[in-house]
Amino acid sequence: MPLDYEEARFETVHPEPEQEGQEVEPEVEPEAEPEGEPGPSRQPPRRQRFLLQSLRQLGQVPPTQGETNTHVMTIIGQIEGHMVLPTKNKTTKYEHIIPQLVAIEQNPKIKGLLLILNTMGGDVEAGLAIAEMITSLSKPTVSLVLGGGHSIGVPIATAADYSFIAETATMTIHPLRLTGLVIGVPQTYEYLEKMQDRVIRFVISHSRITEERFRELMFRTGDLVRDIGTVLVGKEAVANGLIDEVGGLGAAFHKLEQLIALNAQKGPVLGNDGMNPGFVQEGEGTPN
């Protein structure tokens, strides 16, 4: 039966006899560990193995056990949907993200969520499912685009209550693409058109960009070499109303703390549909 602890190895040490005139170094007592939660190297072996396993499988560690009341979630690589991608691809699996979002909603100790994105996009339905889960949380959410938030990463970034983008980060807006065997071209085209409309409606309803401007950026020619669309860099994403502000990690955490404090004062407010909880930001009234 395997043991829950690591086996210790004991070795018998025979001290050498002291010689006359030989100086003996005094024994040094080990330093006392500082109070508080032990660091990664001082964690119990079982806890270390658990953290390492979570890091390998999910790409992130469980919520911190310290005094923080926020949780950080990363969306990196390619968003994997119903099809398993090759092992050489760095992916974010939606079947890992959705249960974590449910756990964040149910955990009373977590008051806010910081979402960090560096993704090339991926499966449309999986990305929309993650975006819908984020926007339906009753707790404040802030997103931060680092490196890139391309393709289906755009609605995920806009799903948060407030969004940031790094000054050098980019966001690519392009029409939906389909790879593989296509049976029935007219029907497939109509299906892609409807799915594309779903993405557009979601983005314009969770950002300040207009539908006309978003479609113009999506179908622009000359910006991309092998595709149609637009690449927005940092301030351009803010200027077009896609992202709220240019900033980094410190600004994102500061904004999240503000939203948490505001949410604690006024409490969550449900929309007319009763399905999309949110909170009243400063200077706003009850959602129509």
Side-chain angles (χ1 to χ4, degrees):
M1 179 180 295
L3 301 177
D4 290 337
Y5 57 87
E6 293 184 349
E7 297 181 358
R9 297 181 179 179
F10 299 92
E11 296 180 358
T12 305
V13 179
H14 301 281
E16 297 181 357
E18 299 179 3
Q19 300 178 0
E20 295 183 1
Q22 182 180 2
E23 296 182 358
V24 180
E25 296 182 359
E27 295 184 359
V28 180
E29 296 183 359
E31 297 181 359
E33 293 186 0
E35 296 182 358
E37 186 178 1
S41 60
R42 296 174 179 171
Q43 294 277 3
R46 192 174 184 181
R47 174 69 176 172
Q48 290 184 18
R49 292 196 298 269
F50 173 71
L51 293 177
L52 183 59
Q53 183 180 8
S54 299
L55 186 62
R56 287 175 176 174
Q57 293 183 352
L58 307 180
Q60 53 193 1
V61 296
T64 309
Q65 295 182 347
E67 298 297 329
T68 180
N69 59 352
T70 61
H71 180 63
V72 179
M73 178 176 291
T74 56
I75 306 292
I76 59 176
Q78 190 169 351
I79 299 174
E80 187 176 277
H82 306 297
M83 301 296 294
V84 179
L85 295 175
T87 55
K88 66 179 181 179
N89 291 24
K90 188 180 292 291
T91 63
T92 294
K93 302 178 184 294
Y94 82 106
E95 66 267 24
H96 292 167
I97 297 297
I98 291 179
Q100 291 186 63
L101 291 172
V102 174
I104 292 171
E105 176 68 23
Q106 293 179 332
N107 191 341
K109 295 182 180 180
I110 299 178
K111 304 300 182 181
L113 171 65
L114 175 61
L115 194 69
I116 299 180
L117 295 95
N118 187 8
T119 175
M120 59 179 293
D123 188 276
V124 176
E125 288 192 345
L128 280 179
I130 294 174
E132 289 287 0
M133 289 285 290
I134 294 171
T135 194
S136 63
L137 289 173
S138 64
K139 302 177 181 181
T141 55
V142 172
S143 64
L144 172 60
V145 179
L146 296 173
H150 307 293
S151 190
I152 198 61
V154 174
I156 295 178
T158 60
D161 299 314
Y162 200 87
S163 55
F164 286 88
I165 184 171
E167 189 174 359
T168 58
T170 58
M171 304 183 76
T172 303
I173 304 172
H174 63 79
L176 265 65
R177 293 171 293 191
L178 180 65
T179 58
L181 180 63
V182 177
I183 301 177
V185 176
Q187 294 84 353
T188 303
Y189 177 79
E190 292 178 2
Y191 173 74
L192 288 177
E193 190 72 21
K194 292 180 180 179
M195 184 174 292
Q196 188 167 271
D197 290 340
R198 291 164 54 192
V199 175
I200 294 175
R201 286 197 304 267
F202 185 91
V203 172
I204 63 176
S205 62
H206 293 86
S207 64
R208 295 176 288 106
I209 194 171
T210 62
E211 181 176 356
E212 293 77 12
R213 180 58 177 168
F214 191 75
R215 287 184 177 273
E216 178 187 349
L217 296 174
M218 177 178 286
F219 297 104
R220 177 179 293 178
T221 58
D223 234 19
L224 302 178
V225 178
R226 295 180 299 175
D227 199 358
I228 58 176
T230 306
V231 177
L232 301 178
V233 182
K235 296 180 180 180
E236 296 177 351
V238 178
N240 283 277
L242 199 61
I243 299 295
D244 294 315
E245 187 177 341
V246 175
L249 187 61
F253 266 118
H254 181 67
K255 184 64 178 180
L256 184 58
E257 291 173 357
Q258 290 181 342
L259 297 182
I260 291 174
L262 187 63
N263 194 36
Q265 294 176 1
K266 300 186 178 181
V269 179
L270 290 177
N272 290 335
D273 56 2
M275 296 293 291
N276 187 11
F279 56 93
V280 181
Q281 297 194 26
E282 188 176 356
E284 296 181 353
T286 305
N288 297 325

